[in-house]
Amino acid sequence: MTDASDPRPDARPDARFADADPDQPLALRAADTDDLAVLAALAQDAVLTVGDIVWDRKSRHFALLLNRFRWEDADAARAERRPFERVRSLLVAADVTRVRHDGIDRDKATVLSLLDLAWQPGEDGTGTLLLRFAGDGTIAVEAEALGVDLRDVTRPHRAVSGDMPVHE
């Protein structure tokens, strides 16, 4: 896992979920499946609308503007008895060659809840980034290589519900 703002490819080779500084905006890059697992944990339960999804074929980037739950701050918020927070974040996949979706309404106002990110390797480093959403929706992003950035783009704000997401 490298800090997306650090040009050195080996800047943080030992990153873990616990490495996220709850007082700083995230700027992380996943270049392998271990890195992607960290991004998936940080992006879990992010909400967005279909209108917040863009595939720029010319630049070969696929981007989502997320309203991300701040999992890295959840323990501190609970201990301090303060509201949980969310932050607007960009999740961007590079070198995208094709995007497919299944079970997702194309209405731009449709609200989605991101559950997981996974990488299905293909041949010669290629593969498919799978974005799984609540309600069995999936977006499959085919790419020449695994390259995903997660970057916070606003200051954190109180989660509207004030609650932490829960799963059965």
Side-chain angles (χ1 to χ4, degrees):
M1 175 85 47
T2 58
D3 180 326
S5 63
D6 191 329
R8 297 172 299 155
D10 62 344
R12 297 195 43 153
D14 61 341
R16 299 175 315 275
F17 178 79
D19 289 339
D21 182 343
D23 298 323
Q24 296 296 319
L26 289 180
L28 301 173
R29 175 169 293 140
D32 61 34
T33 54
D34 290 337
D35 295 347
L36 188 63
V38 175
L39 292 191
L42 291 165
Q44 183 180 2
D45 298 307
V47 293
L48 66 152
T49 66
V50 170
D52 293 327
I53 301 172
V54 175
W55 178 27
D56 184 341
R57 287 184 169 116
K58 186 175 179 180
S59 70
R60 298 174 19 145
H61 285 92
F62 180 80
L64 298 92
L65 180 60
L66 308 172
N67 192 7
R68 185 178 70 77
F69 183 81
R70 294 189 67 230
W71 287 107
E72 69 277 18
D73 183 58
D75 289 341
R78 187 181 304 110
E80 296 168 14
R81 297 178 187 247
R82 61 177 166 78
F84 294 105
E85 296 176 336
R86 287 191 175 265
V87 63
R88 297 289 276 178
S89 304
L90 281 173
L91 182 72
V92 181
D95 299 319
V96 175
T97 57
R98 184 177 178 200
V99 176
R100 296 173 288 128
H101 65 87
D102 183 41
I104 295 180
D105 186 339
R106 294 185 69 162
D107 181 333
K108 290 185 184 275
T110 300
V111 176
L112 303 172
S113 179
L114 183 62
L115 297 180
D116 190 33
L117 302 170
W119 178 254
Q120 284 184 335
E123 294 182 19
D124 298 325
T126 66
T128 303
L129 175 67
L130 296 173
L131 295 95
R132 295 184 182 109
F133 297 92
D136 296 326
T138 302
I139 297 176
V141 180
E142 295 178 21
E144 290 183 0
L146 175 54
V148 180
D149 291 321
L150 178 65
R151 180 181 303 271
D152 292 346
V153 294
T154 66
R155 291 188 174 274
H157 56 274
R158 181 184 181 279
V160 173
S161 71
D163 295 326
M164 181 167 58
V166 293
H167 299 273
E168 291 181 11

